[in-house]
Amino acid sequence: MRPNLHVLLHNRVTRLLETPSSTKLATPLIRTVEFADENTRGDAGDLTALGINPIVNLPDVGKNLSDQAALVISWSVNSNDTLDNVNNNATLRAELLEEWKEDKSGPFVGSGSTHVAWLRVPPNSSIFDVTGDPSSGENSPHYELFTVDGGFGAPTGTGHFISIGIIVVSPASRGTISLHSSDPFDPPIIDPRYLTSEFDIFAMREAVQSARRFIAAPAWNDYVIGPVGAIANATTDELLDIFIRQNAGSPAHPVGTAAMSAKNATFGVVDPDLQAKGIMGLRIVDASVMPFITAGHTQAPVYIIAERAADLIKEKWNLQ
């Protein structure tokens, strides 16, 4: 155990105090923004309006919130051998969990998702007549489809199902996180603004249609019975848009609210060394520093950021 590492569980940090060494901030993204603002480092106008005296003016704290809208669609199937048996039977679930704990075998070895596809909106789509491509390039996906052997997400009732999870992985919509008050224990105001860009709703609609085409393939003829829930009635683009807006949620991949920028840039929150701008000795090491969301899940990129931060800190203190 390192003598200079202290891990405190179920605690909330409300203030930074000046110390002889540097401080690293690694928290859930929402808490990073809340913490930065509470410590009077954020948009001076926003802080002043709440009766907080700003010390450092960083207008981009809490801006540029980017998350990927997600949706799940399920179909009933002609089978009695799906993960619904596990999901709907607490006794069986407990037995299988013990099996996994004992020798790492059984259904809990996998995630439940057996296939993943990373796909793009067709290049000749009408959406590109009115807006640009938010992805990082022609080989980067716009959306993800993944299959689940059973009901997944919203309740599907009793029976057996196959589900497809859908995520718009290159969103153009941007939201904000801001303080609700000067009370550090008051939850922040989170406005993700999902599906507010024309591209995002178009991409989600295309992704749903892509999932439908996949399930309609002849290989599923004797297996898939039919769609479950309100998606069955979404027979036009207008009705599908309503279904999407009423059922889409978050896959918990938010980034961007303490975005990185060049050292001499007048925008952004941290520099390429993860140092908070205008603040000596403070680094932010979490998903909030990513100025754009990766066209995929964010867990591995956060690991990479953390490893890079560790190297920077060791270099700073001449550590091996």
Side-chain angles (χ1 to χ4, degrees):
M1 192 70 178
R2 293 176 59 109
N4 62 344
L5 175 64
H6 303 278
V7 179
L8 299 177
L9 301 179
H10 310 298
N11 282 269
R12 172 175 287 192
V13 177
T14 60
R15 179 167 298 182
L16 272 180
L17 300 177
E18 187 173 351
T19 66
S21 60
S22 62
T23 300
K24 276 65 69 179
L25 181 59
T27 71
L29 177 137
I30 305 302
R31 185 68 190 123
T32 294
V33 175
E34 193 178 12
F35 178 74
D37 277 345
E38 287 165 358
N39 280 267
T40 64
R41 294 150 175 91
D43 189 308
D46 292 346
L47 295 175
T48 301
L50 293 174
I52 301 172
N53 182 34
I55 297 174
V56 177
N57 183 27
L58 286 174
D60 288 336
V61 168
K63 309 300 193 296
N64 191 49
L65 173 60
S66 180
D67 195 7
Q68 300 163 333
L71 189 66
V72 177
I73 302 174
S74 297
W75 291 260
S76 58
V77 297
N78 182 25
S79 172
N80 58 7
D81 184 20
T82 66
L83 287 179
D84 299 293
N85 291 329
V86 180
N87 297 334
N88 298 327
N89 187 327
T91 301
L92 176 61
R93 188 163 62 248
E95 292 173 354
L96 293 173
L97 180 57
E98 288 303 314
E99 177 184 348
W100 179 85
K101 288 179 178 179
E102 182 175 341
D103 56 17
K104 299 299 186 287
S105 64
F108 285 157
V109 169
S111 66
S113 178
T114 54
H115 297 79
V116 179
W118 306 93
L119 303 167
R120 286 180 61 82
V121 169
N124 60 347
S125 297
S126 60
I127 188 62
F128 296 122
D129 295 334
V130 296
T131 188
D133 183 351
S135 74
S136 59
E138 62 182 13
N139 293 319
S140 295
H142 291 130
Y143 61 91
E144 169 190 0
L145 302 182
F146 60 91
T147 62
V148 178
D149 179 30
F152 177 73
T156 47
T158 59
H160 293 271
F161 308 92
I162 185 174
S163 299
I164 294 184
I166 302 169
I167 305 177
V168 176
V169 295
S170 295
S173 302
R174 295 294 183 269
T176 61
I177 301 175
S178 58
L179 291 182
H180 186 266
S181 73
S182 59
D183 182 350
F185 295 98
D186 202 355
I189 300 171
I190 305 171
D191 182 10
R193 305 190 75 235
Y194 294 122
L195 303 171
T196 52
S197 78
E198 292 184 68
F199 177 83
D200 290 7
I201 188 67
F202 184 96
M204 182 64 87
R205 189 190 314 129
E206 175 61 28
V208 171
Q209 301 291 29
S210 179
R212 282 170 157 173
R213 290 192 296 270
F214 176 74
I215 289 295
W220 300 105
N221 283 350
D222 296 326
Y223 186 74
V224 173
I225 297 173
V228 176
I231 185 64
N233 299 320
T235 55
T236 66
D237 284 353
E238 292 75 15
L239 291 174
L240 183 54
D241 285 356
I242 293 172
F243 171 82
I244 290 169
R245 294 189 185 280
Q246 289 179 343
N247 291 276
S250 171
H253 297 161
V255 309
T257 50
M260 181 188 299
S261 63
K263 285 183 180 289
N264 59 352
T266 58
F267 59 92
V269 179
V270 301
D271 66 23
D273 291 333
L274 304 175
Q275 294 269 11
K277 296 191 172 190
I279 307 170
M280 290 292 293
L282 175 65
R283 296 182 198 263
I284 299 177
V285 186
D286 57 37
S288 67
V289 304
M290 298 163 58
F292 303 99
I293 197 163
T294 51
H297 297 206
T298 52
Q299 181 175 354
V302 170
Y303 288 168
I304 295 169
I305 292 169
E307 290 285 353
R308 177 57 179 157
D311 288 341
L312 290 168
I313 294 164
K314 288 189 293 185
E315 181 182 358
K316 169 74 173 179
W317 296 98
N318 298 315
L319 301 173
Q320 297 299 322

